[in-house]
Amino acid sequence: MNKCYSIKLFLLMLFTLVVLLAGGISKKEVKEKMTEHLKNTYNKEFVVEEPVLSGNEGFGYRVYNARAYPVDEPEMSFWLDGR
């Protein structure tokens, strides 16, 4: 096998791996689930801000964090860890 073909094959495999790992749950779905969980747990309405993706996706470690607070008490903000 020539060297150029090997490099192209490696890049194709790498691209395929990246595409497969990039799939998954969207930020919108994460936000909805966080909001629903808080409402069900505390029987109260919460504002959940835009989730931020953290972790090392290359190793399959995907975590979303978001700031949240009760609608009637915005000064009581906290961070959610969406593992």
Side-chain angles (χ1 to χ4, degrees):
M1 191 179 317
N2 78 27
K3 190 173 184 175
C4 186
Y5 180 76
S6 297
I7 292 171
K8 288 179 182 178
L9 182 60
F10 173 76
L11 291 175
L12 177 63
M13 290 170 46
L14 184 62
F15 175 76
T16 303
L17 181 63
V18 168
V19 168
L20 288 173
L21 290 175
I25 192 166
S26 70
K27 284 185 179 185
K28 181 181 177 184
E29 291 172 306
V30 169
K31 184 176 179 177
E32 289 171 357
K33 287 184 180 199
M34 287 177 166
T35 305
E36 181 181 335
H37 172 73
L38 289 171
K39 183 176 182 176
N40 291 340
T41 302
Y42 298 104
N43 207 19
K44 200 173 190 181
E45 293 293 326
F46 285 84
V47 173
V48 176
E49 294 182 355
E50 188 70 22
V52 177
L53 181 61
S54 63
N56 190 338
E57 289 188 84
F59 291 103
Y61 181 68
R62 183 179 294 195
V63 176
Y64 285 95
N65 300 309
R67 189 171 154 262
Y69 54 89
V71 172
D72 58 344
E73 298 178 87
E75 68 280 356
M76 298 295 291
S77 69
F78 55 92
W79 282 91
L80 290 170
D81 184 3
R83 290 180 198 221

